[in-house]
Amino acid sequence: MRVTVLASGSSGNATLFESGASSVLVDAGVAPRALEESLVSLGARVPDAIVITHAHLDHVGHAARIARRRNVPVYLTEATSRAVQLPAQVEEYRFQTREPFEIGALLLEPLPVPHDAANVSLRISDAASSAGLATDLGEPTGALLDHLRGCDVVLLESNHDERLLACGPYPFYLKRRVASSRGHLSNRQAHALLRRLGPRAHTVVLVHLSSTNNTPELALEEARDALSVRVAVHVAPARGTLSVQTTLERLERGGEREAASDTRRRRPIQLSLL
Ligand SMILES: [Zn+2]
Ligand SMILES: [Zn+2]
């Protein structure tokens, strides 16, 4: 499965998951024209569906336009549907916050996460591998850790540095909102979750970084400190795309497959930063 972050941060979020003939776009915070340009440059098809995590504009803002322009259905929860109110012409499907569902060959497993809008993280799997996406959450939960432990690739919010947020230019009410248990995950909180991630993940992508209260260097330093050296760590750019693969090539030797951990140490991941 190829996972491509198309946009990340408070100005827009969108991530494409592709496996074989199936693909889904999670969140639609990218304009239709920019999406189409990205799909062309990636050699990707129009996604089979748009899945919305929650009703904030940086996640759902362009969903109706993309859906209407390319005739793509939109999957969302009841609470998100009520808050967004998509136009009647958009084909809409509901999913439950804890019930797995399928789109083509992909299995999607949602899990509620604490935020100031009803929000879900998503684990998306094909027959061979899984990727987890968790963004816009005020605190890491035990259930989320369990959700992400089975993933080969983890995309995790690392929104702000707590000191930069406290000393920065945001008004007090906004600082309080971002730092609250229903706000956004700090670098320190991401570190706490990543430390307990377990051995399966070979790649971590830090997403939804604040351009005001964080730097890629600070977020990377904190995440790397939490993870084994064999785990590749990337920061998703606010603009431009970042692709990672969930399945690493495996070496066959003497008819026996090498242990994944050995293989992972030797084989570089496929990565393209455009
Ligand atoms: Zn957001
Ligand atoms: Zn949000």
Side-chain angles (χ1 to χ4, degrees):
M1 180 162 48
R2 178 170 70 166
V3 181
T4 303
V5 182
L6 304 173
S8 179
S10 57
S11 57
N13 297 273
T15 308
L16 185 68
F17 297 78
E18 302 166 275
S19 177
S22 301
S23 65
V24 298
L25 181 69
V26 174
D27 288 331
V30 62
R33 179 171 291 187
L35 172 64
E36 280 166 27
E37 286 172 4
S38 294
L39 294 177
V40 168
S41 71
L42 291 162
R45 293 180 308 105
V46 174
D48 302 322
I50 299 168
V51 180
I52 300 298
T53 57
H54 67 295
H56 285 160
L57 269 184
D58 54 321
H59 298 260
V60 74
H62 297 284
R65 286 171 62 212
I66 296 168
R68 280 200 297 204
R69 192 152 150 169
R70 302 311 297 259
N71 201 24
V72 179
V74 177
Y75 287 66
L76 66 190
T77 63
E78 176 76 37
T80 301
S81 174
R82 273 203 308 272
V84 172
Q85 306 238 332
L86 290 170
Q89 306 95 307
V90 173
E91 191 182 354
E92 195 177 316
Y93 294 91
R94 304 282 164 79
F95 65 87
Q96 305 293 320
T97 53
R98 293 177 193 274
E99 283 185 20
F101 58 101
E102 292 176 1
I103 298 174
L106 296 172
L107 174 71
L108 292 90
E109 297 168 275
L111 179 81
V113 290
H115 192 44
D116 53 4
N119 187 20
V120 291
S121 77
L122 286 163
R123 184 165 64 193
I124 299 182
S125 309
D126 63 10
S129 59
S130 295
L133 171 65
T135 183
D136 296 61
L137 62 155
E139 57 189 4
T141 63
L144 177 64
L145 181 61
D146 290 342
H147 203 58
L148 297 178
R149 267 190 176 140
C151 296
D152 303 279
V153 169
V154 170
L155 299 101
L156 181 66
E157 172 167 55
S158 195
N159 177 261
H160 58 277
D161 174 87
E162 290 172 3
R163 196 179 49 83
L164 286 184
L165 176 67
C167 303
Y170 276 17
F172 178 71
Y173 81 90
L174 194 51
K175 289 182 181 182
R176 199 166 62 176
R177 183 204 152 223
V178 170
S180 81
S181 61
R182 292 164 64 83
H184 288 273
L185 211 62
S186 70
N187 296 345
R188 181 186 61 78
Q189 290 171 305
H191 176 279
L193 188 147
L194 291 173
R195 270 188 62 200
R196 300 168 64 203
L197 197 55
R200 175 142 180 177
H202 58 71
T203 300
V204 167
V205 181
L206 305 173
V207 298
H208 215 302
L209 268 70
S210 167
S211 57
T212 306
N213 304 308
N214 208 355
T215 67
E217 292 76 20
L218 284 171
L220 266 178
E221 186 183 337
E222 194 100 31
R224 285 214 173 104
D225 182 62
L227 293 161
S228 146
V229 291
R230 70 169 185 82
V231 181
V233 188
H234 309 284
V235 171
R239 292 162 193 263
T241 60
L242 173 73
S243 293
V244 297
Q245 299 282 348
T246 53
T247 311
L248 301 175
E249 287 179 49
R250 299 186 180 205
L251 297 172
E252 301 285 343
R253 193 182 277 177
E256 280 188 5
R257 182 164 282 187
E258 279 194 305
S261 57
D262 292 345
T263 309
R264 284 169 188 164
R265 268 198 289 275
R266 289 181 195 136
R267 305 287 289 189
I269 64 151
Q270 295 177 35
L271 170 74
S272 58
L273 180 56
L274 303 173

